[in-house]
PDB file of all heavy atoms in Angstrom:
ATOM      1  N   ALA A 225     -42.435 187.288 173.993  1.00  0.00           N
ATOM      2  CA  ALA A 225     -43.259 188.213 173.219  1.00  0.00           C
ATOM      3  C   ALA A 225     -42.427 188.928 172.159  1.00  0.00           C
ATOM      4  O   ALA A 225     -42.855 189.089 171.007  1.00  0.00           O
ATOM      5  CB  ALA A 225     -43.915 189.225 174.156  1.00  0.00           C
ATOM      6  N   GLU A 226     -41.230 189.351 172.534  1.00  0.00           N
ATOM      7  CA  GLU A 226     -40.347 190.043 171.590  1.00  0.00           C
ATOM      8  C   GLU A 226     -40.004 189.154 170.399  1.00  0.00           C
ATOM      9  O   GLU A 226     -40.141 189.556 169.231  1.00  0.00           O
ATOM     10  CB  GLU A 226     -39.063 190.463 172.299  1.00  0.00           C
ATOM     11  CG  GLU A 226     -38.004 191.058 171.380  1.00  0.00           C
ATOM     12  CD  GLU A 226     -36.627 191.079 172.027  1.00  0.00           C
ATOM     13  OE1 GLU A 226     -36.389 190.296 172.966  1.00  0.00           O
ATOM     14  OE2 GLU A 226     -35.791 191.871 171.577  1.00  0.00           O
ATOM     15  N   ASN A 227     -39.565 187.940 170.684  1.00  0.00           N
ATOM     16  CA  ASN A 227     -39.158 187.040 169.606  1.00  0.00           C
ATOM     17  C   ASN A 227     -40.330 186.675 168.703  1.00  0.00           C
ATOM     18  O   ASN A 227     -40.164 186.523 167.486  1.00  0.00           O
ATOM     19  CB  ASN A 227     -38.531 185.775 170.189  1.00  0.00           C
ATOM     20  CG  ASN A 227     -37.183 186.042 170.823  1.00  0.00           C
ATOM     21  OD1 ASN A 227     -36.551 187.052 170.554  1.00  0.00           O
ATOM     22  ND2 ASN A 227     -36.738 185.136 171.683  1.00  0.00           N
ATOM     23  N   ALA A 228     -41.523 186.541 169.293  1.00  0.00           N
ATOM     24  CA  ALA A 228     -42.706 186.250 168.479  1.00  0.00           C
ATOM     25  C   ALA A 228     -42.984 187.400 167.515  1.00  0.00           C
ATOM     26  O   ALA A 228     -43.290 187.184 166.336  1.00  0.00           O
ATOM     27  CB  ALA A 228     -43.912 186.001 169.377  1.00  0.00           C
ATOM     28  N   ALA A 229     -42.869 188.636 168.011  1.00  0.00           N
ATOM     29  CA  ALA A 229     -43.137 189.802 167.164  1.00  0.00           C
ATOM     30  C   ALA A 229     -42.085 189.941 166.066  1.00  0.00           C
ATOM     31  O   ALA A 229     -42.402 190.264 164.914  1.00  0.00           O
ATOM     32  CB  ALA A 229     -43.179 191.066 168.020  1.00  0.00           C
ATOM     33  N   VAL A 230     -40.823 189.698 166.408  1.00  0.00           N
ATOM     34  CA  VAL A 230     -39.751 189.784 165.412  1.00  0.00           C
ATOM     35  C   VAL A 230     -39.939 188.716 164.339  1.00  0.00           C
ATOM     36  O   VAL A 230     -39.843 188.984 163.135  1.00  0.00           O
ATOM     37  CB  VAL A 230     -38.370 189.636 166.086  1.00  0.00           C
ATOM     38  CG1 VAL A 230     -37.269 189.498 165.031  1.00  0.00           C
ATOM     39  CG2 VAL A 230     -38.081 190.832 166.980  1.00  0.00           C
ATOM     40  N   LEU A 231     -40.217 187.492 164.767  1.00  0.00           N
ATOM     41  CA  LEU A 231     -40.403 186.394 163.814  1.00  0.00           C
ATOM     42  C   LEU A 231     -41.576 186.676 162.880  1.00  0.00           C
ATOM     43  O   LEU A 231     -41.488 186.453 161.663  1.00  0.00           O
ATOM     44  CB  LEU A 231     -40.626 185.085 164.566  1.00  0.00           C
ATOM     45  CG  LEU A 231     -40.888 183.846 163.700  1.00  0.00           C
ATOM     46  CD1 LEU A 231     -39.711 183.574 162.769  1.00  0.00           C
ATOM     47  CD2 LEU A 231     -41.160 182.629 164.582  1.00  0.00           C
ATOM     48  N   LEU A 232     -42.678 187.177 163.433  1.00  0.00           N
ATOM     49  CA  LEU A 232     -43.842 187.485 162.608  1.00  0.00           C
ATOM     50  C   LEU A 232     -43.498 188.545 161.565  1.00  0.00           C
ATOM     51  O   LEU A 232     -43.869 188.422 160.387  1.00  0.00           O
ATOM     52  CB  LEU A 232     -44.993 187.967 163.492  1.00  0.00           C
ATOM     53  CG  LEU A 232     -46.313 188.286 162.779  1.00  0.00           C
ATOM     54  CD1 LEU A 232     -46.868 187.042 162.099  1.00  0.00           C
ATOM     55  CD2 LEU A 232     -47.329 188.844 163.777  1.00  0.00           C
ATOM     56  N   ALA A 233     -42.767 189.574 161.980  1.00  0.00           N
ATOM     57  CA  ALA A 233     -42.385 190.635 161.041  1.00  0.00           C
ATOM     58  C   ALA A 233     -41.464 190.098 159.951  1.00  0.00           C
ATOM     59  O   ALA A 233     -41.579 190.468 158.778  1.00  0.00           O
ATOM     60  CB  ALA A 233     -41.709 191.776 161.796  1.00  0.00           C
ATOM     61  N   GLN A 234     -40.544 189.214 160.326  1.00  0.00           N
ATOM     62  CA  GLN A 234     -39.636 188.633 159.337  1.00  0.00           C
ATOM     63  C   GLN A 234     -40.398 187.771 158.335  1.00  0.00           C
ATOM     64  O   GLN A 234     -40.111 187.786 157.137  1.00  0.00           O
ATOM     65  CB  GLN A 234     -38.563 187.805 160.038  1.00  0.00           C
ATOM     66  CG  GLN A 234     -37.561 188.643 160.820  1.00  0.00           C
ATOM     67  CD  GLN A 234     -36.625 187.798 161.666  1.00  0.00           C
ATOM     68  OE1 GLN A 234     -36.989 186.702 162.103  1.00  0.00           O
ATOM     69  NE2 GLN A 234     -35.432 188.299 161.926  1.00  0.00           N
ATOM     70  N   MET A 235     -41.378 187.027 158.816  1.00  0.00           N
ATOM     71  CA  MET A 235     -42.137 186.143 157.936  1.00  0.00           C
ATOM     72  C   MET A 235     -43.071 186.930 157.022  1.00  0.00           C
ATOM     73  O   MET A 235     -43.288 186.545 155.873  1.00  0.00           O
ATOM     74  CB  MET A 235     -42.928 185.131 158.766  1.00  0.00           C
ATOM     75  CG  MET A 235     -42.058 184.139 159.523  1.00  0.00           C
ATOM     76  SD  MET A 235     -43.005 182.989 160.550  1.00  0.00           S
ATOM     77  CE  MET A 235     -43.877 182.053 159.297  1.00  0.00           C
ATOM     78  N   GLU A 236     -43.625 188.034 157.520  1.00  0.00           N
ATOM     79  CA  GLU A 236     -44.515 188.844 156.687  1.00  0.00           C
ATOM     80  C   GLU A 236     -43.748 189.500 155.546  1.00  0.00           C
ATOM     81  O   GLU A 236     -44.253 189.622 154.431  1.00  0.00           O
ATOM     82  CB  GLU A 236     -45.203 189.912 157.541  1.00  0.00           C
ATOM     83  CG  GLU A 236     -46.275 189.347 158.471  1.00  0.00           C
ATOM     84  CD  GLU A 236     -46.893 190.415 159.348  1.00  0.00           C
ATOM     85  OE1 GLU A 236     -46.279 191.501 159.493  1.00  0.00           O
ATOM     86  OE2 GLU A 236     -47.985 190.172 159.893  1.00  0.00           O
ATOM     87  N   GLY A 237     -42.535 189.955 155.817  1.00  0.00           N
ATOM     88  CA  GLY A 237     -41.679 190.495 154.771  1.00  0.00           C
ATOM     89  C   GLY A 237     -42.109 191.825 154.186  1.00  0.00           C
ATOM     90  O   GLY A 237     -41.642 192.205 153.114  1.00  0.00           O
ATOM     91  N   THR A 238     -42.986 192.555 154.862  1.00  0.00           N
ATOM     92  CA  THR A 238     -43.450 193.838 154.329  1.00  0.00           C
ATOM     93  C   THR A 238     -42.573 195.005 154.764  1.00  0.00           C
ATOM     94  O   THR A 238     -42.760 196.129 154.295  1.00  0.00           O
ATOM     95  CB  THR A 238     -44.896 194.110 154.777  1.00  0.00           C
ATOM     96  OG1 THR A 238     -44.961 194.075 156.209  1.00  0.00           O
ATOM     97  CG2 THR A 238     -45.836 193.061 154.202  1.00  0.00           C
ATOM     98  N   ALA A 239     -41.637 194.759 155.664  1.00  0.00           N
ATOM     99  CA  ALA A 239     -40.748 195.815 156.148  1.00  0.00           C
ATOM    100  C   ALA A 239     -39.362 195.233 156.386  1.00  0.00           C
ATOM    101  O   ALA A 239     -39.206 194.030 156.617  1.00  0.00           O
ATOM    102  CB  ALA A 239     -41.291 196.425 157.443  1.00  0.00           C
ATOM    103  N   ASN A 240     -38.358 196.097 156.323  1.00  0.00           N
ATOM    104  CA  ASN A 240     -37.009 195.689 156.692  1.00  0.00           C
ATOM    105  C   ASN A 240     -36.952 195.558 158.212  1.00  0.00           C
ATOM    106  O   ASN A 240     -37.242 196.518 158.932  1.00  0.00           O
ATOM    107  CB  ASN A 240     -35.987 196.731 156.233  1.00  0.00           C
ATOM    108  CG  ASN A 240     -35.887 196.812 154.728  1.00  0.00           C
ATOM    109  OD1 ASN A 240     -36.029 195.817 154.032  1.00  0.00           O
ATOM    110  ND2 ASN A 240     -35.644 198.009 154.217  1.00  0.00           N
ATOM    111  N   VAL A 241     -36.583 194.397 158.693  1.00  0.00           N
ATOM    112  CA  VAL A 241     -36.501 194.167 160.135  1.00  0.00           C
ATOM    113  C   VAL A 241     -35.058 194.402 160.562  1.00  0.00           C
ATOM    114  O   VAL A 241     -34.149 193.697 160.118  1.00  0.00           O
ATOM    115  CB  VAL A 241     -36.957 192.746 160.500  1.00  0.00           C
ATOM    116  CG1 VAL A 241     -36.888 192.537 162.010  1.00  0.00           C
ATOM    117  CG2 VAL A 241     -38.377 192.501 159.994  1.00  0.00           C
ATOM    118  N   LEU A 242     -34.849 195.404 161.403  1.00  0.00           N
ATOM    119  CA  LEU A 242     -33.496 195.793 161.792  1.00  0.00           C
ATOM    120  C   LEU A 242     -32.932 194.929 162.910  1.00  0.00           C
ATOM    121  O   LEU A 242     -31.760 195.060 163.253  1.00  0.00           O
ATOM    122  CB  LEU A 242     -33.478 197.266 162.216  1.00  0.00           C
ATOM    123  CG  LEU A 242     -33.899 198.270 161.136  1.00  0.00           C
ATOM    124  CD1 LEU A 242     -33.857 199.690 161.687  1.00  0.00           C
ATOM    125  CD2 LEU A 242     -33.009 198.152 159.909  1.00  0.00           C
ATOM    126  N   ASN A 243     -33.754 194.057 163.483  1.00  0.00           N
ATOM    127  CA  ASN A 243     -33.244 193.145 164.509  1.00  0.00           C
ATOM    128  C   ASN A 243     -32.256 192.172 163.899  1.00  0.00           C
ATOM    129  O   ASN A 243     -32.446 191.686 162.781  1.00  0.00           O
ATOM    130  CB  ASN A 243     -34.383 192.346 165.138  1.00  0.00           C
ATOM    131  CG  ASN A 243     -35.326 193.206 165.935  1.00  0.00           C
ATOM    132  OD1 ASN A 243     -36.122 193.945 165.362  1.00  0.00           O
ATOM    133  ND2 ASN A 243     -35.251 193.111 167.240  1.00  0.00           N
ATOM    134  N   ILE A 244     -31.206 191.893 164.633  1.00  0.00           N
ATOM    135  CA  ILE A 244     -30.245 190.859 164.265  1.00  0.00           C
ATOM    136  C   ILE A 244     -30.409 189.743 165.281  1.00  0.00           C
ATOM    137  O   ILE A 244     -30.421 189.992 166.484  1.00  0.00           O
ATOM    138  CB  ILE A 244     -28.805 191.403 164.291  1.00  0.00           C
ATOM    139  CG1 ILE A 244     -28.669 192.569 163.298  1.00  0.00           C
ATOM    140  CG2 ILE A 244     -27.803 190.301 163.970  1.00  0.00           C
ATOM    141  CD1 ILE A 244     -27.352 193.288 163.402  1.00  0.00           C
ATOM    142  N   ASP A 245     -30.549 188.524 164.807  1.00  0.00           N
ATOM    143  CA  ASP A 245     -30.853 187.429 165.724  1.00  0.00           C
ATOM    144  C   ASP A 245     -29.881 187.353 166.887  1.00  0.00           C
ATOM    145  O   ASP A 245     -30.257 187.048 168.011  1.00  0.00           O
ATOM    146  CB  ASP A 245     -30.862 186.102 164.974  1.00  0.00           C
ATOM    147  CG  ASP A 245     -32.111 185.945 164.114  1.00  0.00           C
ATOM    148  OD1 ASP A 245     -33.060 186.718 164.301  1.00  0.00           O
ATOM    149  OD2 ASP A 245     -32.117 185.043 163.273  1.00  0.00           O
TER     150      ASP A 245
END
Side-chain angles (χ1 to χ4, degrees):
E226 174 197 22
N227 290 341
V230 171
L231 178 60
L232 182 62
Q234 290 172 331
M235 293 178 66
E236 288 177 342
T238 57
N240 293 326
V241 181
L242 299 179
N243 293 74
I244 300 172
D245 286 346

